[in-house]
Amino acid sequence: MRSESLYRLTAACLVTHELDSILLQGRRTFSLIGGFDQQIFLWAHVPVVLAMLFYAEFSRRISVRYGMCVFAVIHVGLHWVYRNQPVYDFTSVSSWVLILLAGIFGAAYLVPAKAR
């Protein structure tokens, strides 16, 4: 699979996970690190999703793509660490599939093309 496709799949899974986060009101999860007001949480996602969409479609900079794919892999670890917390909302199969697919596609992007 081409690296461009892997990057787009990573970005698509992360954006969809952001939507899932809003639907689940995942803001409760952030109470572990100080909490956020619901409206701040919602509006904070506008630049996050915008940046992800912009870079997914228009950026050819390897560093941006590399950074997002590294984040996708680390993101899986963060969810794994917090999964047993009482305020953790991402317990459905769909939530975990999105989280894991973003990490898998991100990791695959990070593997040099010659090794794939």
Side-chain angles (χ1 to χ4, degrees):
M1 187 175 284
R2 291 183 18 214
S3 63
E4 176 114 2
S5 297
L6 290 168
Y7 175 73
R8 286 182 178 180
L9 286 166
T10 301
C13 288
L14 285 173
V15 168
T16 306
H17 171 58
E18 290 300 310
L19 295 172
D20 184 39
S21 175
I22 291 169
L23 289 172
L24 293 173
Q25 297 183 4
R27 65 185 159 74
R28 290 183 348 137
T29 300
F30 290 102
S31 67
L32 298 169
I33 54 174
F36 289 114
D37 174 73
Q38 182 178 5
Q39 294 300 311
I40 293 171
F41 180 80
L42 175 67
W43 287 103
H45 280 79
V46 172
V48 170
V49 172
L50 181 63
M52 291 170 75
L53 291 172
F54 175 80
Y55 287 123
E57 289 301 318
F58 301 110
S59 178
R60 299 286 185 233
R61 293 176 46 190
I62 298 300
S63 60
V64 170
R65 292 175 178 222
Y66 184 84
M68 186 180 291
C69 290
V70 167
F71 170 75
V73 173
I74 292 170
H75 181 253
V76 172
L78 292 171
H79 276 276
W80 185 257
V81 167
Y82 288 111
R83 76 190 183 287
N84 293 322
Q85 296 296 321
V87 295
Y88 187 78
D89 294 328
F90 302 98
T91 57
S92 74
V93 171
S94 293
S95 292
W96 271 99
V97 166
L98 288 169
I99 293 163
L100 292 172
L101 282 177
I104 290 166
F105 291 136
Y109 177 86
L110 297 171
V111 173
K114 291 180 182 178
R116 281 188 248 132

